[in-house]
Amino acid sequence: GQSLLEQDLQFLCEGLEGRSPSPLALLFDTLVRPDGDLGGSAESQLTWRREAGHCVPHLVLGKGPPGGAWHSMEGSMFTLSLGDWMELPSMRFRDWMRRRGRHLRNDRATTRDIAQYYQHYVKEFSLQEHFVLGSVVTSVRPLQGHSVALDPAEEMCGQPGGGADAPPEMYEIRGFHEVESGNASPFCLYAQNVVLATGSYDSPSRLGVEGEDLPHVFHTIRDLERALEMQQLDPDSDPVLIVGAGLTAADAVLLARHSNVPVLHAFRRAVTDSGMVFSQLPQLMFPEYHKVHSMMAEQSLCSCGPYQGYTSLPRH
C-alpha cells in the first residue's frame, strides 16, 4: 500500500520494454495496463487515492473546453488507442459509456465519446476552478530572480500590482484571454513548473512546396470535413489528391470515400514497405485502416481493383 511516489522509480523501471522511449512512461503503462500491448485485459495494479496534503496547486490553460483537440475532430471517427486506455482515475470509461447506453466497437471509442468523457470528468470531480478556458499562451520563459515590470492592464497570479520580483527557479507565462466581445485580455503568470501538453493537432505537417497555401489545399481533416459539409466536394468533383501514407492520410481517404468523392492517393513508399504504420496495427482491432492499406495495394494506376473511385500512386 505504499505510495508510488515514495518508491525507487529508477529501480522499478529496470528491464521494462515497450514502444515508449521514456522509462517512467513504460512503468506507468505496465502498472495501469499490465498486458495492454498484448491485447489483454488484466486489471490495473494501481489504486488511486486522493490525499489533500499531496495535492499540487495548478492551472490548466486552454483555448477550448476540457478535452482539447478531441472537440475539434470529426465526432464519428474512432480513436487509435483502445477506449479503456483513455480513461482517467476513479472513473472507468467503459462504465461511463454503459451509463450513456453506448458500447465500444472493437474496444475503441469515437472522438466524440472521448471529448464528452473528459468534459464530464472535470464536472464530476469539481475541477472547474483549475481550468482557465479561452486562454492562448504566447510565451514561456525561465526567470532567475530578476525584477519584472508588467503593464498595468495585465494580470499576475499571486502578485498584485504593476511589478514584482520573481522568486528563483520560476517560469513566466504570458498570453491573453479571449473574451466574448472579441477583445483580448492579456495575462502574466508565474509558476515553478510548466507542462506543455499542446499536441500536434494545431500544427499539421506541411510539404514546403509551391502552391501549398492556395485555397483548395487542406492541411487538416477538419478542413476536408468543412469542404464536404459545404458541398465544395461531391461525387462529381475532380479527384481530391491525398498525400501521405500515415493514419491521417488514411482517415482522409475514408472520409472522402464515405462521401463518394473520387480520390488520388500519392505516397513515397512502396506498399510492401514494412515500415508502414499499418503493419503495426492488429487487423481485427483496426479493420478500417487495413482496408485502406488493401486499397493502396490493389488499386493503383497499373492495376484494376474492386475499389471504384480510388487510385493509389505509390512511390510518388
Side-chain angles (χ1 to χ4, degrees):
Q2 188 179 7
S3 171
L4 186 63
L5 300 179
E6 299 171 0
Q7 304 277 352
D8 184 344
L9 296 180
Q10 185 173 359
F11 172 76
L12 293 177
C13 290
E14 290 183 1
L16 293 178
E17 296 181 355
R19 292 174 293 177
S20 173
S22 168
L24 282 178
L26 286 176
L27 174 61
F28 184 79
D29 287 347
T30 301
L31 292 172
V32 175
R33 300 292 169 196
D35 56 355
D37 283 344
L38 301 176
S41 57
E43 289 294 321
S44 170
Q45 300 301 300
L46 292 180
T47 299
W48 299 95
R49 185 174 65 218
R50 185 180 186 277
E51 296 181 351
H54 289 87
C55 291
V56 178
H58 64 281
L59 284 178
V60 180
L61 306 177
K63 290 187 292 186
W70 292 108
H71 292 277
S72 304
M73 302 178 188
E74 201 281 316
S76 63
M77 289 174 56
F78 285 92
T79 61
L80 183 60
S81 298
L82 300 183
D84 290 342
W85 294 4
M86 315 296 286
E87 70 184 24
L88 297 174
S90 303
M91 182 184 286
R92 290 176 60 90
F93 181 73
R94 197 176 292 266
D95 293 343
W96 179 84
M97 288 280 288
R98 192 175 295 114
R99 290 196 298 269
R100 292 165 52 85
R102 296 177 57 80
H103 301 280
L104 299 177
R105 176 182 171 185
N106 290 335
D107 291 325
R108 293 162 63 200
T110 65
T111 54
R112 182 183 297 109
D113 292 330
I114 298 299
Q116 293 176 353
Y117 169 79
Y118 289 148
Q119 267 194 300
H120 182 81
Y121 187 92
V122 170
K123 294 180 180 179
E124 179 73 14
F125 293 95
S126 302
L127 301 175
Q128 295 94 325
E129 64 184 66
H130 299 289
F131 284 76
V132 184
L133 310 182
S135 301
V136 177
V137 174
T138 56
S139 69
V140 178
R141 68 185 184 101
L143 300 175
Q144 297 179 348
H146 56 280
S147 179
V148 180
L150 299 179
D151 187 284
E154 293 178 324
E155 298 178 2
M156 186 171 171
C157 180
Q159 297 283 354
D165 288 331
E169 301 179 352
M170 299 288 282
Y171 289 89
E172 177 192 81
I173 303 97
R174 288 178 178 264
F176 60 87
H177 298 298
E178 298 175 328
V179 295
E180 292 184 1
S181 63
N183 297 323
S185 174
F187 67 81
C188 177
L189 307 175
Y190 287 158
Q192 290 181 308
N193 300 283
V194 177
V195 176
L196 299 178
T198 56
S200 59
Y201 190 80
D202 289 342
S203 302
S205 300
R206 300 178 69 88
L207 295 176
V209 298
E210 184 179 354
E212 190 169 10
D213 294 317
L214 291 173
H216 56 273
V217 178
F218 309 137
H219 291 92
T220 68
I221 290 292
R222 184 57 188 149
D223 291 337
L224 178 57
E225 290 169 0
R226 291 194 189 98
L228 293 170
E229 290 168 358
M230 299 174 65
Q231 297 184 338
Q232 296 174 354
L233 294 170
D234 58 43
D236 296 324
S237 301
D238 290 332
V240 59
L241 174 64
I242 296 173
V243 180
L247 297 182
T248 301
D251 286 334
V253 170
L254 292 169
L255 186 62
R257 292 306 301 136
H258 181 73
S259 298
N260 293 319
V261 174
V263 169
L264 288 175
H265 185 190
F267 44 95
R268 287 180 291 185
R269 296 186 178 189
V271 176
T272 55
D273 191 324
S274 60
M276 277 198 171
V277 67
F278 306 102
S279 63
Q280 304 172 31
L281 304 176
Q283 186 166 355
L284 289 178
M285 290 174 55
F286 304 97
E288 73 277 27
Y289 291 130
H290 281 275
K291 178 182 178 181
V292 172
H293 192 209
S294 297
M295 294 165 67
M296 294 163 64
E298 298 176 23
Q299 188 108 358
S300 68
L301 280 175
C302 303
S303 62
C304 183
Y307 304 105
Q308 185 176 0
Y310 171 90
T311 303
S312 74
L313 303 171
R315 295 184 179 275
H316 278 67

